[in-house]
Structures are given as structure tokens and as C-alpha cells.
């Protein structure tokens, strides 16, 4: 994990992503689709036509040319979901006559036996008023097309149907992944499976399984059983379970790449085998979050014998061509204090810890090559002595990824896609592995394979992990699949809300568990005031939770910060209404009732939260938030009153309200309000009404926005 030490670099990456215009929208004519389409990711080419294909109880599917168990299973899953959405009893058997089938799936071949980076995932889907035809060169391409087919489903008073359409589609990047860290918090098998289903639904194709960490060693080793028996608290995956996940993923066209983090982040290894460490030990499993000192000793030959045996065992278990060695955040403090390591470095002419780690990486690379694997590691592994067949996993940003590509290294991007940092989908949507302004040549750009969303596991468990991954990761999936110029934030959010509901079909709990967690906190079925509060707060961003709400890996993740969602739809809607209200005078009357009603609901919720908090000790930390909700609502309502009446408040009133809002904006219980900027706009507009009305509407809006949020970056 990239922890607090590097948070400034990550923040800088996100700031760079914000420099893109939020409503940039460049579409070629063939990509223009009607507003009612909810396709995500957006296909490479969409051509709408006149007509519709009814979906009735007689819907059936025929397979043409190649068919195997994986394709039949994919069709069966599609039929189950289609039946669930339409409440139609659909035939389970495949149609024998393709001319009578509603959907014909025409596939040429199986594709790669083992899911591969080179898999052909393209497909063509055509729908007319008689039939739908899905044509793909491989089974995986057909599976991708079936997901698009499901997303086309619409309904009206005449029933369900698919619009007449022609889609030609293929991914922009070969590598489109999701990392799930199970080292810090173990995730049960059902969590992994439902997330694999969701990955397939949005056309992600790499499950990066982060299996070892300072806090846990999560995989059975039959060669070194003490690794998982002593390093996991009994929470690990058996080798049979690993095979089950690999097979489950393959059925959905998803590769499974394991990560065994070395030489740092290795405390759990050393609990069982302290003789491999750079300090004598003993070691114990870490319970906190952060960067820890334990590291393997790269100067001991027994390390490489051990890794040869272990990695060989894992290579036989994971069929994917790539194996991730981590390699990040090793500060080398144990190396600095170890006389034998320092003597080794001097004797070998190794000038610093980075060079020592490069020596280690080269030895590990040869071991992996011996077992038929390609090495991939985080950016820290990049060194002049690193062979070119190693893959660089970038968390710093497109610039460093491009630099690696210029040097001849293949690489993937995760900077901008750190979903554990709790940024909204809009900030994950625009960072691009190969930005528009890239200076890479066409040949150099081929080294950029794609990217991965990263779900680091400090603050997630089986109840909350889905809400931290979904639906925001669907926006990242679109960035990695769709053409670069698909960048309309508003349309992304429109489609994301639809996709979020569809993902629930797969067993995801990102929506369902929200209400459950609030009911638990309130110890009541009546959660309306708490839900109102939770709807406009978000967990603090980046790694500030560490300092604001100290917890360990053994702490229950059931607080309000765990229930609150990363991307507040209510706050976005309120901000949109405020902007429209302030954009010009005729809109005052149109948006005033909604704004006043929302502010009044906040005020009422604040009053009702007091007794609820009194009854629930688990909510005590929310009391300052409840009090501040009243402050925010009062400031907004008073501003609306001045604006509606045309009266001008005093400067003292404005300054007092802004000061109170500044205080309310300070995070409490690792949570922060995300409507403060919008309410500040109302306060400033009320105080500046005479001079603002004398300016053009856009100047007025820009001035209010700048005054309400002076620290925000200016738009280009």
C-alpha cells in the first residue's frame, strides 16, 4: 500500500486530474448515442437505428459455430439476470434453430486456454426488430458482448425491449484490473466471487490478489505451512479455494494475478521464519496501519532457496503469466542497522539500499523466470540494473509511467485509481494511462498496458468493502475500456446510478448494507434523521483517518464513518441546484422551493438526531456533526430568505455565517460535510446581491464560486 509517506505525491496526482475540464466531451459521430442508453463502459462505436426488439417470455438464445461449457455458462448467467429484471419465465434450453432465436451468439473459437494479456475481447452486436446477433472471435469476446446486451434492456408501457442498434466494440487497454488487499483484512470467498461477477459486468479482466502483508499471510503453503498457520490468525485461503477462485474468474474471462509483497511489508512471513529477517526478531503480526521496518535479508543465500521453493509452489497454483512481488515502501531501516548487511554491500560495491533492493529483485526475477513467470512490481523496483522484461506498476502517475515506457519497460497505472482514498468517481474518471497530451511515440505507448483500481484493506471488511469498490470502480473500468475522448462527467454519473442498481443483481451489498449499518447504529428501524445526515457527509480523504480515528486491524468497522459513502449523490444534487439557482434571476423561483425544502429537512434532522444519539452510545461521536448540521441549515435558510426578499444582510452577518461554516467544515469522527461550499455560495450571493446582479450571469456565478471556495483550482 502507498501510505502516508507518499500521500503528497498521490494528492498531486489527483490535483493534476482535476486540471481537466469537468465537462469535456468530444465524441465522433459514430459514438453519439441517445440519452436513454445506459452503456458502461461506452463501446468503441455505437450506431442507433430505428426499431426495437421485444423481449418476451419466448426469448431464447441460439449458439452458432463454436460453443463450450464456459460460453454456455455465460449465457445461462445472462438469462438468469434477464429473467430477474423482467420477471419473465424464460426458456432454459438453447434454441436449436437460429432463425427462430431472439439472440444468436456466433463465436469462432475458445480463445486463450489460460486467460492472457493477448486475449481478443472484441465483439459486434447488432439488434433489429426481428433478432439480435452477437458475433465474437473468442468466448471472452462473447462474454463481454453479453454484458452489453443486458445493459441495452429497456422498458415502457408496451413491455421490455432492446433498441435497434449496431455496436462494434473492443477495449482500449489490454490490462484492466482491480486489486483487492486481503492481507490487512481477510475477505471471505463469497466477497471475492461477487466482486469477480461485478468486474465481469463492467469488463474488467485482471483480479490482482494482494495476499501477503505485515498484518496477514493469507494463502496456504504446503511447503512452508508455518507461513499461514502462524501468520494469518487462522484466516487464509486453502489451495483448493485458490483453484476455485482461479476457475471462477476464468469462467468470466478474468485473469488472477497474485501478489506476494517482498522484501518489505513482510512481517507476517517473519512471524513464522524469523531467520529470513534483517533483524533477529521475534516478530508478531502487525495490528496497526502504516509502514513497518521488518524486511527480508537480501544478503542471505537461504532467502533465495526459500523463495525458489515457495514461489515455485505458487507458480504451479496460479496459471497466470505474471506474478507481483510488491517491492514498495521498504525504507531499509533494518538494513542500515545490520552490520552483516552493511559489510555485504561494501564487499559487493552496492552503494545504497535502492541498489541492494535491485540486487534482490534481480535474484527474484531469475527465480520467477525459472518457474515460467514474468515479474511485476511497484515503481520502487525500477532501477538501471532492472531487466526490461520486468513490468512496472505505477502509483505516482502517468508521467513516471511514461518515463518507464521510454526506457523500454511495460507498465500499468494505478495513480488516480486509489479507491481507498475515498475520492468521488469524478476524480477517478479522468486520469488516463496515456493522457491526451502524452509525449510518448506510438511505439513507446505500446508499453503502457493499462491500469488497476486499488482497494487497500485497512478500513474494509466483508460488510463494507463493496461500498468502497462500487459503483466508483465502474467509472475506472470505463476509462480503461472506452475511447479516450469519452469524458463527460455528468453523463458518467447518469449512467453510473443505473449500473449501480444492476450490480446489486450480482449480490453486491454496496446499497443494501448502507441501511443495515445505519439501523445498527441507531438501534432502531427509524433512521430517517441519521440517513439525512449520512447523505451529505463523506469519510475524510487520503490517509487522514489514521490520525483522526485511531483503530487497529482488530477494531470493528461499524461506525458512522464506515456507513457513510465516498461519493454523495445528495451533495452533488444540492450543488447542482444551488448553481442553477444562482445562475440567473429567472431561475430563482424555479429552484427556490427545492433548496428551501432541503435546508429545512437538514434543520429538522439535526433536532431529531439529539434524542437518537442519547439512546445510542455508538452514535456519540456524531453529536458534533448533528450540531453542525443545524449551523449549515440555518446559514442556508437565512441566505435564501435574504435572496428571496431582495434584502441585503450586513457584512457582519456574512462574516459570522462564513466563520461558522468554516468551523462546521472541520472533520469530526473522520467525517466531513460535502455541502459546505454550496452553502457558502448562498451566503456570499445574499451579501453581494446588488453588485453581483449588475454583472453578467456567468461572471456572477464564477465570482460566487471563487469566493465560496477560494482554494479550489481555477478552471482552464
Amino acid at each position: 500500500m502507498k501510505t502516508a509517506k507518499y500521500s503528497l505525491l498521490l494528492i498531486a496526482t489527483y490535483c493534476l486530474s482535476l486540471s481537466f475540464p469537468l465537462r469535456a466531451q468530444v465524441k465522433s459521430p459514430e459514438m453519439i448515442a441517445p440519452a436513454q442508453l445506459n452503456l458502461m463502459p461506452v463501446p468503441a462505436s455505437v450506431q442507433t437505428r430505428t426499431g426495437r426488439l421485444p423481449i418476451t417470455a419466448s426469448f431464447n438464445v441460439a449458439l452458432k459455430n463454436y460453443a463450450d461449457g464456459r460460453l454456455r455458462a455465460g449465457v445461462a448467467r445472462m438469462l438468469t439476470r434477464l429473467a430477474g429484471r423482467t420477471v419473465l419465465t424464460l426458456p432454459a434450453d438453447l434454441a436449436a434453430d437460429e432463425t427462430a432465436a431472439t439472440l444468436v451468439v456466433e463465436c469462432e473459437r475458445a480463445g486463450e486456454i489460460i486467460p492472457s494479456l493477448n486475449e481478443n475481447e472484441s465483439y459486434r452486436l447488432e439488434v433489429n426488430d426481428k433478432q439480435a446477433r452477437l458475433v465474437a472471435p473468442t468466448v471472452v469476446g462473447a462474454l463481454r458482448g453479453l454484458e452489453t446486451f443486458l445493459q441495452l434492456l429497456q422498458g415502457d408501457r408496451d413491455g421490455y425491449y432492446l433498441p435497434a442498434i449496431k455496436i462494434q466494440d473492443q477495449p482500449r487497454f489490454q490490462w484492466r484490473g482491480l486489486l483487492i488487499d486481503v492481507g490487512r483484512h481477510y475477505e471471505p470467498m463469497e466477497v471475492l466471487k461477487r466482486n469477480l461477477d461485478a468486474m465481469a459486468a463492467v469488463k474488467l479482466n485482471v483480479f490482482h490478489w494482494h495476499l501477503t502483508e505485515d498484518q496477514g499471510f493469507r494463502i496456504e503453503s504446503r511447503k512452508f505451512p508455518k507461513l499461514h498457520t502462524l501468520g494469518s490468525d487462522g484466516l487464509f485461503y486453502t489451495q483448493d479455494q485458490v483453484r476455485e477462485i482461479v476457475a471462477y474468474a476464468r469462467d468470466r474471462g478474468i485473469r488472477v494475478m497474485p501478489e506476494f509483497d517482498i522484501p518489505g511489508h513482510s512481517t507476517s512471513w517473519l512471524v513464522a521464519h524469523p531467520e529470513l529477517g534483517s533483524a533477529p526478531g521475534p516478530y508478531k503480526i502487525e495490528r496497526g496501519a502504516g509502514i513497518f521496518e521488518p524486511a527480508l535479508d537480501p544478503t542471505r543465500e537461504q532467502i533465495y532457496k526459500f523463495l525458489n521453493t515457495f514461489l515455485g509452489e505458487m507458480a504451479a497454483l496460479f496459471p497466470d503469466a505474471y506474478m507481483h512481488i510488491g517491492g514498495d515502501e521498504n525504507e531499509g531501516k533494518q538494513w542500515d542497522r545490520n552490520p552483516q548487511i552493511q559489510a555485504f554491500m561494501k564487499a559487493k560495491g552496492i552503494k545504497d539500499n535502492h541498489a541492494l533492493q535491485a540486487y534482490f529483485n534481480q535474484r527474484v526475477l531469475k527465480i520467477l523466470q525459472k518457474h515460467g513467470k514474468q515479474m511485476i512490481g511497484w515503481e520502487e523496483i525500477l532501477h538501471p540494473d532492472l531487466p526490461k522484461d520486468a513490468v512496472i506498476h505505477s502509483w505516482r502517475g502517468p508521467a513516471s509511467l511514461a518515463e518507464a515506457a521510454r526506457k523500454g519497460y511495460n507498465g500499468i497505472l494505478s495513480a488516480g485509481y486509489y479507491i481507498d482514498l475515498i475520492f468521488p468517481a469524478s476524480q477517478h474518471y479522468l486520469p488516463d494511462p496515456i493522457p491526451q497530451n502524452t509525449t510518448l511515440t506510438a511505439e513507446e505507448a505500446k508499453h503502457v498496458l493499462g491500469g488497476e483500481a486499488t482497494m487497500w484493506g485497512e478500513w474494509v471488511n466483508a460488510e463494507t468493502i463493496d461500498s468502497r469498490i462500487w459503483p466508483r470502480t465502474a467509472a475506472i473500468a470505463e476509462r480503461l475500456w472506452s475511447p479516450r475522448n469519452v469524458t463527460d462527467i455528468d453523463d458518467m454519473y447518469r449512467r453510473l446510478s443505473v449500473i449501480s442498481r444492476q450490480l446489486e443483481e450480482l449480490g453486491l451489498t454496496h446499497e443494501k448494507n448502507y441501511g443495515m449499518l445505519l439501523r445498527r447504529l441507531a438501534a432502531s428501524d427509524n433512521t430517517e434523521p441519521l440517513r439525512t445526515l449520512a447523505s451529505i457527509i463523506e469519510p475524510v480523504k487520503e490517509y487522514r483517518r489514521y490520525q483522526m480515528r485511531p483503530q487497529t486491524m482488530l477494531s470493528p468497522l461499524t461506525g458512522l464513518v464506515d456507513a457513510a459513502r465516498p461519493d454523495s449523490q445528495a451533495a452533488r444534487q444540492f450543488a447542482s441546484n444551488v448553481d442553477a439557482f444562482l445562475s440567473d434571476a429567472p431561475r430563482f423561483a424555479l429552484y427556490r422551493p427545492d433548496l428551501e425544502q432541503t435546508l429545512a429537512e437538514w434543520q429538522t434532522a439535526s433536532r431529531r438526531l439529539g434524542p437518537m444519539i442519547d439512546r445510542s452510545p455508538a452514535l456519540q461521536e456524531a453529536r458534533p456533526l448533528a450540531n453542525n448540521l443545524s449551523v449549515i441549515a440555518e446559514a442556508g435558510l437565512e441566505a435564501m430568505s435574504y435572496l428571496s426578499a431582495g434584502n441585503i444582510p450586513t457584512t457582519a452577518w456574512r462574516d459570522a455565517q462564513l466563520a461558522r461554516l468554516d468551523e462546521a467544515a472541520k472533520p469530526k469522527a473522520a467525517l466531513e460535510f460535502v455541502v459546505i461550499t454550496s452553502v457558502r455560495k448562498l451566503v456570499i450571493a445574499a451579501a453581494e446581491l446588488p453588485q453581483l446582479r449588475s454583472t453578467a450571469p456567468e461572471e456572477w456565478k464564477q465570482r460566487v464560486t471563487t469566493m465560496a471556495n477560494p482554494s479550489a483550482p481555477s478552471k482552464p
Side-chain angles (χ1 to χ4, degrees):
M1 181 198 131
K2 314 299 156 257
T3 44
K5 176 183 176 185
Y6 296 116
S7 61
L8 290 177
L9 286 170
L10 289 172
I11 296 165
T13 300
Y14 283 108
C15 290
L16 280 173
S17 75
L18 291 178
S19 67
F20 289 87
L22 289 185
R23 294 195 180 186
Q25 184 178 12
V26 184
K27 294 183 178 179
S28 62
E30 69 173 2
M31 290 172 52
I32 296 175
Q36 69 267 24
L37 290 181
N38 298 308
L39 302 179
M40 194 170 214
V42 168
S45 171
V46 177
Q47 297 176 11
T48 58
R49 298 174 172 178
T50 302
R52 55 192 273 170
L53 175 65
I55 302 298
T56 67
S58 62
F59 177 91
N60 58 359
V61 180
L63 301 182
K64 184 177 181 180
N65 294 341
Y66 182 82
D68 60 11
R70 182 163 61 155
L71 181 57
R72 291 188 182 91
V75 170
R77 291 194 301 272
M78 182 275 291
L79 286 170
T80 298
R81 290 159 66 192
L82 184 63
R85 289 186 201 177
T86 60
V87 201
L88 296 171
T89 302
L90 303 178
D93 295 331
L94 294 171
D97 180 6
E98 72 169 276
T99 61
T102 316
L103 169 65
V104 177
V105 179
E106 184 176 341
C107 190
E108 295 178 13
R109 61 186 185 276
E112 304 288 328
I113 302 299
I114 297 170
S116 161
L117 185 68
N118 299 316
E119 186 78 70
N120 188 329
E121 300 177 85
S122 66
Y123 66 92
R124 185 176 77 252
L125 177 61
E126 295 189 50
V127 180
N128 57 38
D129 57 1
K130 301 296 184 183
Q131 192 177 67
R133 183 170 289 269
L134 171 60
V135 180
T138 69
V139 169
V140 173
L143 294 176
R144 304 293 181 246
L146 288 172
E147 296 296 342
T148 301
F149 180 88
L150 276 171
Q151 290 182 359
L152 284 170
L153 181 69
Q154 299 182 33
D156 59 19
R157 63 188 300 172
D158 296 322
Y160 287 100
Y161 68 95
L162 268 64
I165 201 165
K166 180 179 179 180
I167 292 173
Q168 180 70 49
D169 201 11
Q170 66 279 328
R172 182 175 168 221
F173 290 107
Q174 303 161 280
W175 193 305
R176 308 178 310 281
L178 170 63
L179 177 153
I180 297 182
D181 165 21
V182 298
R184 293 174 174 90
H185 278 99
Y186 172 84
E187 300 295 343
M189 290 282 285
E190 60 267 22
V191 171
L192 301 181
K193 287 183 176 181
R194 70 193 185 215
N195 276 279
L196 285 166
D197 284 327
M199 289 174 63
V202 295
K203 302 180 174 66
L204 292 175
N205 67 352
V206 181
F207 171 39
H208 178 165
W209 202 355
H210 186 86
L211 284 160
T212 68
E213 256 305 334
D214 293 301
Q215 296 87 351
F217 196 99
R218 304 296 184 196
I219 186 167
E220 176 191 17
S221 172
R222 295 175 182 173
K223 301 290 187 180
F224 302 107
K226 288 196 296 183
L227 285 171
H228 65 271
T229 56
L230 298 182
S232 71
D233 293 315
L235 298 171
F236 62 91
Y237 305 96
T238 67
Q239 294 197 4
D240 285 342
Q241 287 176 317
V242 169
R243 294 186 186 95
E244 184 179 345
I245 290 296
V246 169
Y248 194 91
R250 180 187 179 277
D251 280 350
R252 288 147 183 80
I254 296 173
R255 298 165 40 212
V256 179
M257 177 184 67
E259 179 178 351
F260 308 106
D261 208 345
I262 49 178
H265 287 283
S266 56
T267 304
S268 63
W269 298 67
L270 302 176
V271 171
H273 292 277
E275 71 277 7
L276 304 179
S278 302
Y283 295 88
K284 60 182 180 180
I285 296 172
E286 295 289 355
R287 302 304 185 186
I291 303 173
F292 302 96
E293 292 187 7
L296 303 183
D297 182 349
T299 70
R300 299 186 186 185
E301 281 303 311
Q302 70 182 113
I303 283 282
Y304 304 106
K305 294 178 181 178
F306 183 96
L307 289 176
N308 178 57
T309 302
F310 173 77
L311 294 176
E313 180 185 18
M314 295 298 107
L317 190 58
F318 290 94
D320 194 69
Y322 294 85
M323 189 172 286
H324 206 299
I325 66 159
D328 57 315
E329 296 182 330
N330 173 36
E331 297 180 336
K333 292 181 179 179
Q334 285 191 344
W335 293 355
D336 293 337
R337 295 193 298 264
N338 186 311
Q340 287 76 26
I341 292 177
Q342 293 302 306
F344 179 91
M345 292 172 66
K346 184 176 181 180
K348 295 283 188 180
I350 299 174
K351 63 180 181 178
D352 56 26
N353 288 336
H354 187 44
L356 180 59
Q357 186 159 336
Y359 166 83
F360 173 81
N361 291 338
Q362 290 176 52
R363 297 287 302 269
V364 173
L365 176 63
K366 291 178 181 178
I367 292 171
L368 290 176
Q369 289 173 335
K370 173 184 173 182
H371 295 291
K373 301 297 182 184
Q374 289 182 258
M375 187 174 85
I376 177 171
W378 297 101
E379 262 173 319
E380 287 90 334
I381 74 168
L382 188 58
H383 186 274
D385 296 333
L386 184 70
K388 292 296 190 293
D389 51 1
V391 179
I392 306 303
H393 194 165
S394 172
W395 58 267
R396 293 189 176 106
S400 64
L401 182 63
E403 183 59 28
R406 272 188 284 269
K407 293 176 179 177
Y409 293 96
N410 286 346
I412 59 174
L413 181 71
S414 278
Y417 309 140
Y418 269 58
I419 50 178
D420 65 306
L421 296 183
I422 314 295
F423 285 105
S426 57
Q427 285 182 239
H428 295 303
Y429 189 54
L430 296 179
D432 195 298
I434 307 178
Q436 185 74 42
N437 62 352
T438 184
T439 58
L440 292 176
T441 67
E443 282 302 308
E444 290 169 342
K446 292 178 181 178
H447 288 296
V448 179
L449 304 178
E452 288 185 358
T454 55
M455 183 66 259
W456 298 108
E458 284 88 345
W459 311 125
V460 290
N461 61 15
E463 290 183 337
T464 62
I465 189 170
D466 293 356
S467 71
R468 294 327 189 227
I469 300 176
W470 307 103
R472 293 177 301 149
T473 296
I476 299 171
E478 178 159 285
R479 175 56 50 239
L480 298 174
W481 177 282
S482 300
R484 178 196 283 147
N485 53 14
V486 178
T487 53
D488 187 328
I489 293 289
D490 291 340
D491 190 60
M492 178 274 289
Y493 271 121
R494 179 189 66 79
R495 291 177 290 116
L496 191 64
S497 65
V498 177
I499 298 303
S500 181
R501 292 193 298 272
Q502 293 176 358
L503 289 172
E504 286 193 283
E505 299 169 359
L506 305 170
L508 291 181
T509 63
H510 61 297
E511 294 290 347
K512 180 179 71 174
N513 280 8
Y514 178 65
M516 179 268 291
L517 289 165
L518 294 181
R519 288 190 296 273
R520 180 188 296 167
L521 285 165
S524 170
D525 289 331
N526 179 18
T527 61
E528 184 179 350
L530 183 59
R531 186 178 285 266
T532 298
L533 171 64
S535 72
I536 56 171
I537 56 177
E538 292 176 1
V540 291
K541 314 307 180 197
E542 299 135 16
Y543 298 112
R544 290 185 288 162
R545 176 168 175 165
Y546 296 162
Q547 291 78 34
M548 301 187 66
R549 203 172 188 272
Q551 290 180 293
T552 73
M553 299 305 107
L554 301 179
S555 300
L557 300 177
T558 53
L560 186 57
V561 68
D562 302 299
R565 295 190 264 204
D567 198 347
S568 169
Q569 182 178 356
R572 289 199 310 274
Q573 185 60 58
F574 183 74
S576 177
N577 288 347
V578 167
D579 287 346
F581 175 72
L582 294 175
S583 62
D584 59 76
R587 298 203 180 203
F588 271 43
L590 181 62
Y591 287 93
R592 174 185 167 188
D594 281 347
L595 288 173
E596 289 181 338
Q597 180 180 347
T598 298
L599 291 163
E601 288 173 355
W602 295 353
Q603 194 172 56
T604 299
S606 176
R607 289 195 297 265
R608 294 177 59 196
L609 276 167
M612 179 178 285
I613 293 170
D614 290 341
R615 294 191 301 268
S616 176
L619 281 175
Q620 288 301 319
E621 63 180 358
R623 194 178 298 279
L625 292 165
N627 294 337
N628 284 336
L629 181 60
S630 177
V631 169
I632 296 166
E634 182 181 333
L637 286 169
E638 289 186 16
M640 290 295 296
S641 178
Y642 281 120
L643 286 165
S644 300
N647 297 329
I648 311 301
T650 65
T651 301
W653 174 87
R654 181 199 66 185
D655 292 345
Q657 295 300 327
L658 292 179
R660 296 176 73 197
L661 289 173
D662 287 345
E663 189 62 32
K666 296 177 181 178
K668 304 289 189 300
L671 289 156
E672 55 191 351
F673 285 99
V674 285
V675 292
I676 299 288
T677 296
S678 297
V679 177
R680 284 175 62 91
K681 288 182 182 181
L682 293 174
V683 170
I684 292 168
E688 302 289 329
L689 188 61
Q691 51 184 313
L692 287 173
R693 276 187 169 166
S694 67
T695 64
E698 282 304 313
E699 291 181 50
W700 176 0
K701 183 178 177 182
Q702 185 60 45
R703 182 173 174 184
V704 171
T705 299
T706 301
M707 295 174 69
N709 192 17
S711 62
S714 59
K715 291 184 180 180

